[in-house]
Amino acid sequence: MTTIETPAPQQSGTLSSGSRLFRLASRYGTFVAFLALIAFNIAVTPHFLSWQTLNVNLTQVATIVIVATGMTLVIATGGIDLSVGSLMAISGALAPMIFMGQLWPVENMAFAVTLAFLFPVVVAGLFGLFNGLLVTRFSIQPIIATLVLFIAGRGIAQVMTNGNLQVFKNEGFQFIAMGRIAGVPAQVVLMIMIVALAAAMIRYTVIGRQLIAVGGNEKAARLTGIPVKRVKMLVYMISGALAGVAGLVVVARNSASDANLVGLGMELDAIAAVAVGGTLLTGGRANIIGTVLGAFVIQLVRYTLLANGVPDAAALIVKAGLIVLAVFIQQRADRR
């Protein structure tokens, strides 16, 4: 009896080339989009190639990068942090209260300004730790756990200030946003330092490898002896502290603290920067440099729309579209 062998089905060349295309888009798409936005603005937007435009974009993107760096660490563990905007409001409300003498009399202004830098960041970090406790100790889904402070945090900031606008002028405190170091805006230098430290932590430290392992396969990480709960609590604390730093930069730049507006919508910008930058929203990957590029893309999209007469509200739709597109590319690129 003759046996007829049926050839094994082969993947079509179209699917193979499509898979390669999505992988390339996942790896280099953000950089290409960044270059495309620059090219478009050079050709269309008046005065784009000027120091003033560069300064505006760098100072506006700095807070997004700072918050998105912390968000990258959280998302790399498979979590998410919706409270960053509210923690910015708390930090931004608390700092002026310290050096303006609303909490206790100010006897030494230098000490008060130093405390205004440190204490709000510590408080924001502790609120981040609270988020981590809800996620780890009580097994609450991260999106629900951080929703608590997303809602309550801004309310706390409003209660602290009685809903009033705090206007101030303090050169020592405002140096973090208005000052320059070797001609570079201080907030940009701060952004670079935070990004460098986070990238080094991911690449060269044990905790960096542990948080990637936790996001990749939490059960396997626990079986290998990685302190999963401790790692998650740490990244939420870092995310909260960085949100606190960003809050200080915003109020120092504005010479005023408004608990209703500081950090409003920052969670969307941070998540968009992380997603566009190539970090998987399901965890297991942390691309800090990609997040920086993603933040620049988000900022340039907003700048491009505003500079060409498109309402700011339209930028929200574009940001949401960028998140959807980034997640779609990631999912297709990961298919085998």
Side-chain angles (χ1 to χ4, degrees):
M1 184 175 181
T2 305
T3 304
I4 301 176
E5 295 183 359
T6 305
Q10 298 179 351
Q11 290 184 339
S12 66
T14 304
L15 288 175
S16 178
S17 61
S19 179
R20 286 197 298 269
L21 181 62
F22 279 112
R23 289 197 185 103
L24 287 173
S26 178
R27 181 171 297 182
Y28 304 111
T30 306
F31 184 62
V32 172
F34 175 66
L35 294 179
L37 282 167
I38 291 178
F40 176 83
N41 280 286
I42 291 174
V44 175
T45 305
H47 311 297
F48 180 74
L49 291 179
S50 66
W51 286 112
Q52 182 179 1
T53 300
L54 177 63
N55 183 69
V56 166
N57 281 290
L58 282 176
T59 52
Q60 289 186 353
V61 81
T63 50
I64 301 176
V65 171
I66 291 171
V67 176
T69 299
M71 186 72 74
T72 301
L73 302 180
V74 171
I75 289 178
T77 63
I80 200 164
D81 189 353
L82 299 181
S83 68
V84 289
S86 296
L87 295 186
M88 286 177 64
I90 291 175
S91 175
L94 186 56
M97 295 175 69
I98 295 174
F99 62 75
M100 291 173 68
Q102 296 180 12
L103 297 180
W104 52 74
V106 176
E107 298 180 358
N108 187 319
M109 183 55 70
F111 176 75
V113 169
T114 302
L115 197 61
F117 283 129
L118 299 177
F119 188 61
V121 175
V122 171
V123 170
L126 290 175
F127 275 118
L129 184 62
F130 171 75
N131 285 332
L133 284 171
L134 292 181
V135 172
T136 58
R137 301 296 181 185
F138 299 97
S139 300
I140 301 176
Q141 289 292 329
I143 194 170
I144 302 300
T146 57
L147 189 63
V148 173
L149 279 176
F150 171 81
I151 298 170
R154 194 167 297 278
I156 293 172
Q158 290 169 343
V159 169
M160 288 167 56
T161 60
N162 293 319
N164 297 323
L165 178 69
Q166 298 182 96
V167 181
F168 58 86
K169 185 176 182 181
N170 187 304
E171 292 183 1
F173 175 75
Q174 291 182 268
F175 181 82
I176 192 175
M178 311 296 287
R180 288 180 177 271
I181 300 173
V184 181
Q187 57 186 303
V188 176
V189 174
L190 180 63
M191 173 193 77
I192 293 171
M193 291 173 58
I194 289 172
V195 167
L197 288 172
M201 185 187 78
I202 294 293
R203 187 174 182 86
Y204 300 113
T205 68
V206 174
I207 188 66
R209 291 189 289 271
Q210 287 179 341
L211 70 90
I212 297 298
V214 169
N217 191 324
E218 184 175 328
K219 291 182 180 179
R222 186 178 289 109
L223 290 174
T224 58
I226 294 176
V228 173
K229 292 183 178 181
R230 194 183 309 167
V231 170
K232 287 187 174 184
M233 289 170 63
L234 176 64
V235 295
Y236 279 101
M237 184 174 68
I238 293 173
S239 178
L242 291 181
V245 172
L248 298 182
V249 173
V250 169
V251 298
R253 185 171 61 210
N254 296 335
S255 302
S257 173
D258 187 350
N260 299 297
L261 296 178
V262 173
L264 190 64
M266 180 57 77
E267 49 282 323
L268 173 60
D269 286 341
I271 294 171
V274 175
V276 173
T279 295
L280 293 176
L281 295 184
T282 53
R285 183 191 301 171
N287 189 346
I288 298 294
I289 303 303
T291 294
V292 175
L293 277 175
F296 272 93
V297 168
I298 298 299
Q299 171 58 28
L300 279 176
V301 165
R302 182 173 182 271
Y303 175 84
T304 303
L305 293 175
L306 290 177
N308 290 280
V310 180
D312 191 31
L316 298 176
I317 301 174
V318 176
K319 290 173 191 175
L322 286 174
I323 295 176
V324 173
L325 179 62
V327 173
F328 172 74
I329 291 174
Q330 288 175 5
Q331 289 178 339
R332 294 300 297 268
D334 287 340
R335 288 182 180 178
R336 297 292 182 265

